[in-house]
Amino acid sequence: YMTNLCTQWKTFCVAILFMIPGFLFGQWGNTPEAPLLLSSEPGAQINPVLLNDGYDGFFAFWLDNRDGMYAVYGQHLDAAGIPLWEVNGKLIADDDENISFLNATLNGEGNVIICWHNYADTLYAQKLNSDGDYLWAENILIGGSNIIDGGSYWGINYKVALMSEGESCFFAFVATGFGYDRLRINKVLNDGTVS
C-alpha cells in the first residue's frame, strides 16, 4: 500500500512540475504557427475586439455561433495570456436574433462598455466589471426600429463608433432607411441613463 501511495505522490509532483512553466511563462506561443487559442468550441468565432485592461492584461470580445446563433462572448487575459474567465469564453450577450456587430471600450472607472446590434436592427449596450458581470440591471436600448426618419423604417447596417468620456459614453451609428443613411449619436450616462 505504501509503495502505491509513494508512486501516486511522485506522479502528482512530476505533473505539478510540468504545469509550473505554463503558469510562470504564460500561454503565448512563440511562433506564427501557434497563436493563443481563445475558443475551441465548434462553429465560427468572428469580429474580435481587444481592449487593454489597464493592468497589463486585456479583454477580448467576439461574435460566436457555437449554439447556432451569433452571440457575444468574451475573455479576460492577464499579461501572460492566461484566461481569467471561463474556458472558451464567457457568454456576454445573446438575443432572439443573430447579433451582427459589436464594439467595446474601457470607461474612466476601469469597466468595459460594450455594445452590439442584431439583425432586428436594435442597438444595445451594457457595462461590465473585470469579471464580465453586468453592472447595469438590464441592457440599455441605444436605438431601435422606433426611429422614423423621412417617413421610413430604419435599421443599422454599419459599424457603431463607441467612446467613453468622463461620466458619459457616446454611441455613433448610421440610421439606414429607404434612400438615406443618416448619422445619429446617443449619449448614455455611467448609471445607464440615456441622456
Side-chain angles (χ1 to χ4, degrees):
Y1 173 78
M2 288 300 287
T3 304
N4 189 25
L5 185 61
C6 287
T7 302
Q8 290 175 349
W9 178 249
K10 287 179 188 176
T11 303
F12 173 77
C13 290
V14 168
I16 292 297
L17 288 174
F18 278 107
M19 289 170 44
I20 287 174
F23 290 117
L24 292 178
F25 301 111
Q27 304 294 308
W28 299 115
N30 59 2
T31 68
E33 294 82 18
L36 177 63
L37 180 65
L38 288 180
S39 175
S40 60
E41 288 288 326
Q45 293 95 37
I46 61 172
N47 298 350
V49 174
L50 298 177
L51 298 175
N52 184 320
D53 70 359
Y55 299 98
D56 296 325
F58 65 96
F59 298 99
F61 298 99
W62 65 92
L63 296 181
D64 192 311
N65 72 349
R66 66 182 70 177
D67 294 322
M69 294 187 73
Y70 278 105
V72 178
Y73 278 77
Q75 185 59 265
H76 188 188
L77 295 102
D78 67 14
I82 296 172
L84 303 175
W85 294 350
E86 288 89 337
V87 173
N88 292 321
K90 180 175 186 171
L91 177 62
I92 302 298
D94 60 359
D95 206 313
D96 292 335
E97 297 279 338
N98 273 308
I99 294 175
S100 56
F101 176 81
L102 77 123
N103 201 356
T105 190
L106 211 60
N107 71 2
E109 304 168 327
N111 297 311
V112 173
I113 304 297
I114 188 165
C115 69
W116 63 92
H117 65 70
N118 59 25
Y119 286 115
D121 303 323
T122 308
L123 176 62
Y124 290 102
Q126 182 56 254
K127 181 162 67 167
L128 310 172
N129 64 18
S130 62
D131 293 324
D133 301 323
Y134 282 13
L135 295 177
W136 291 332
E138 57 187 32
N139 297 330
I140 306 302
L141 177 64
I142 305 300
S145 58
N146 57 328
I147 294 178
I148 301 294
D149 197 347
S152 65
Y153 171 82
W154 77 280
I156 303 171
N157 291 322
Y158 303 99
K159 294 181 178 180
V160 177
L162 171 59
M163 181 184 82
S164 177
E165 182 67 34
E167 299 294 315
S168 304
C169 301
F170 300 89
F171 303 82
F173 53 94
V174 175
T176 299
F178 298 108
Y180 68 86
D181 291 317
R182 294 202 173 113
L183 184 62
R184 300 285 192 141
I185 297 179
N186 235 345
K187 175 181 173 184
V188 178
L189 303 179
N190 276 338
D191 66 0
T193 305
V194 178
S195 172

